[in-house]
Amino acid sequence: MTELASRFIAIPDVLSTSPVLAIGLTLSAFFVGNWLFARLGKPLWMPPVLLSAVILSAVIAVLSIDYVRYQEGALWITVLLGPATVALGIPLYQQIHHIRAMWLPIVVTLPLAATMAAVYAVVIAWAMGATPEVLASLAPKSVTAPIAIGITEQLGGSVALMMGGLLITGVVATLFVDLLARWLPVEDERILGFALGLNGHAIGTARAFEISHTAGAFSSLGMGLTGVFTALILPLVFRL
Amino acid sequence: MPMLRGFLILVLFFLLGEAMRVLFLLPVSGGVLGMIFMTLSLMLRGRVSEDLATASQALISVLVLLIMPGVVGVFFMASQFSGQWLAVAVALLLGTFLSVLTTLLIMKGMLRLSSRGRSND
């Protein structure tokens, strides 16, 4: 009987040797998170990403599954982020007439806003006594994850801290865009989408597609341009 | 089948992006390069095929699912930055508030400026 019990306890550990467990847990948390989000009345301060991630983390901790092993299994899901980024080119093309009509505001806003997104955070953290390693991890906070990883490594920051900053930035950027849109006010979906993608990368873009197809396309554009611009500029600035 | 055919096209563009990144030592990820190539090739072609539309819609609708495992990492981060959490938190919250405000104001101002310029023409 005790043998059966010990085998029962070992189940999560044995199953986690296959990626199927990580995929099953991630998918379950995704659906539970979405269901809970709808039940809670779609609160802006608790987006489905955060809700699902909290549930998933709790389950991983409770079942004491090795975190590194979970990430290895979850690679089956995260590799799709590459083709998904390419897929953003399709709404971008479908909205190209909107983008052409707005090329001047975009060209002026992008370098300024993308630079300030990094500068505000780095200057505040520096003034509060953060180490250079932390500063390097915060700098790419508005850049989409695959590009940000490359930038952080180049600058000598911590990828784990950067990913944390990225998540928080994405969530609060989504919140602040919704908040400031009402407060300023800004109603133009194109501006909201662009601000979501520029500041809140993939998390902001996921939110923008909830607003409308146009907002989503502008968000994809903002995210892509910010990623490219920051990747080119930041390593040069940090060398100074 | 249409979904898989579309997915194959996305994968090929991603691989093309990665190949270009490696070849020219670009600091930009293969996904973003692939996205740029995709947009350019669609502009040349002038239309989106059914396969590509199906596959891209499917992937975009589960974008949140794809970033979840990365987000989970935050909760398992070692406490190697203890003592700097306040600086990090303030930098992220205040910094993001300011940058969102900056983006919205510049964009709004520029849009008003360009529409006024057009009406004066």
Side-chain angles (χ1 to χ4, degrees):
Chain A
M1 198 58 213
T2 46
E3 211 176 301
L4 188 69
S6 66
R7 263 182 281 159
F8 179 77
I9 291 166
I11 285 176
D13 195 47
V14 174
L15 289 188
S16 70
T17 51
S18 151
V20 178
L21 181 69
I23 295 169
L25 289 178
T26 311
L27 268 174
S28 311
F30 172 69
F31 284 115
V32 172
N34 276 320
W35 173 80
L36 209 58
F37 179 67
R39 280 301 295 264
L40 291 173
K42 307 199 173 195
L44 285 177
W45 49 271
M46 193 65 175
V49 210
L50 193 56
L51 209 55
S52 305
V54 169
I55 295 167
L56 187 53
S57 307
V59 172
I60 292 170
V62 167
L63 296 180
S64 60
I65 295 167
D66 182 35
Y67 170 67
V68 176
R69 216 189 259 175
Y70 164 75
Q71 281 298 359
E72 279 168 18
L75 210 59
W76 285 79
I77 293 174
T78 45
V79 287
L80 291 175
L81 211 48
T85 311
V86 177
L88 294 176
I90 284 111
L92 206 57
Y93 161 74
Q94 286 166 339
Q95 301 291 324
I96 203 88
H97 54 285
H98 282 304
I99 293 162
R100 270 206 191 117
M102 271 180 80
W103 71 271
L104 188 63
I106 289 171
V107 166
V108 173
T109 309
L110 181 91
L112 278 170
T115 308
M116 291 320 284
V119 167
Y120 284 136
V122 170
V123 168
I124 292 169
W126 173 78
M128 290 182 72
T131 60
E133 192 194 1
V134 169
L135 295 184
S137 315
L138 288 180
K141 72 180 188 59
S142 284
V143 177
T144 175
I147 301 181
I149 291 169
I151 298 177
T152 304
E153 281 170 351
Q154 217 174 335
L155 300 181
S158 147
V159 172
L161 180 61
M162 183 278 292
M163 286 299 285
L166 221 63
L167 158 76
I168 296 165
T169 303
V171 172
V172 296
T174 307
L175 231 86
F176 289 148
V177 168
D178 283 318
L179 201 77
L180 288 171
R182 242 171 288 164
W183 188 59
L184 281 173
V186 177
E187 278 157 12
D188 196 323
E189 284 175 359
R190 301 169 301 174
I191 299 181
L192 296 181
F194 196 69
L196 279 169
L198 195 150
N199 294 292
H201 50 91
I203 299 177
T205 302
R207 164 75 188 133
F209 273 104
E210 283 173 16
I211 299 176
S212 73
H213 212 63
T214 309
F218 270 84
S219 189
S220 310
L221 181 75
M223 178 178 84
L225 291 178
T226 304
V228 174
F229 179 80
T230 313
L232 295 175
I233 293 299
L234 216 48
L236 294 174
V237 175
F238 243 71
R239 219 170 286 161
L240 301 177
Chain B
M1 279 305 263
M3 166 106 93
L4 274 183
R5 270 199 298 265
F7 184 67
L8 175 61
I9 300 172
L10 293 175
V11 168
L12 289 178
F13 270 84
F14 174 70
L15 292 174
L16 177 71
E18 282 285 295
M20 291 298 125
R21 182 181 65 84
V22 173
L23 191 62
F24 298 106
L25 298 171
L26 299 171
V28 182
S29 73
V32 170
L33 288 173
M35 177 177 92
I36 296 168
F37 295 147
M38 176 59 78
T39 311
L40 291 178
S41 78
L42 288 174
M43 284 166 77
L44 285 176
R45 198 152 174 253
R47 62 178 201 91
V48 181
S49 70
E50 193 70 37
D51 299 349
L52 206 51
T54 313
S56 70
Q57 259 157 28
L59 270 178
I60 289 171
S61 65
V62 294
L63 214 52
V64 166
L65 175 71
L66 307 186
I67 46 183
M68 261 172 62
V71 171
V72 169
V74 183
F75 300 104
F76 291 88
M77 212 157 59
S79 54
Q80 48 183 318
F81 299 101
S82 52
Q84 302 197 45
W85 284 116
L86 189 65
V88 170
V90 174
L92 289 174
L93 290 177
L94 189 61
T96 305
F97 179 81
L98 290 174
S99 76
V100 168
L101 186 65
T102 307
T103 313
L104 289 176
L105 287 180
I106 300 178
M107 199 74 176
K108 200 181 177 190
M110 277 307 296
L111 213 62
R112 196 179 296 158
L113 212 68
S114 67
S115 64
R116 192 180 300 161
R118 206 165 296 153
S119 58
N120 284 350
D121 283 345

